[in-house]
Amino acid sequence: MTDQNRKYIKKEIGRLLSEIWRIKGLAEQEYGPNHPVTRKLSGMHAEAQALLQENGEN
């Protein structure tokens, strides 16, 4: 993978993290922190963070 591709992927994962965090906040307001939708969004955020960290290590 080229350095340019790595930078692009890192940038897109960062955007994804921001969007998931924003939507998770809205879901918490609407449904509460224990609703399945909110919990799923929290899991998605954790997975995206792991991808970002994994990408940074390579």
Side-chain angles (χ1 to χ4, degrees), residues 6 20 33 55 57:
R6 282 188 187 100
I20 291 170
N55 187 314
E57 292 172 359

Side-chain angles (χ1 to χ4, degrees), residues 4-16:
Q4 183 180 7
N5 285 347
R6 282 188 187 100
K7 287 180 183 178
Y8 175 76
I9 290 168
K10 188 174 182 179
K11 181 175 140 183
E12 289 301 311
I13 293 172
R15 284 185 190 167
L16 179 63

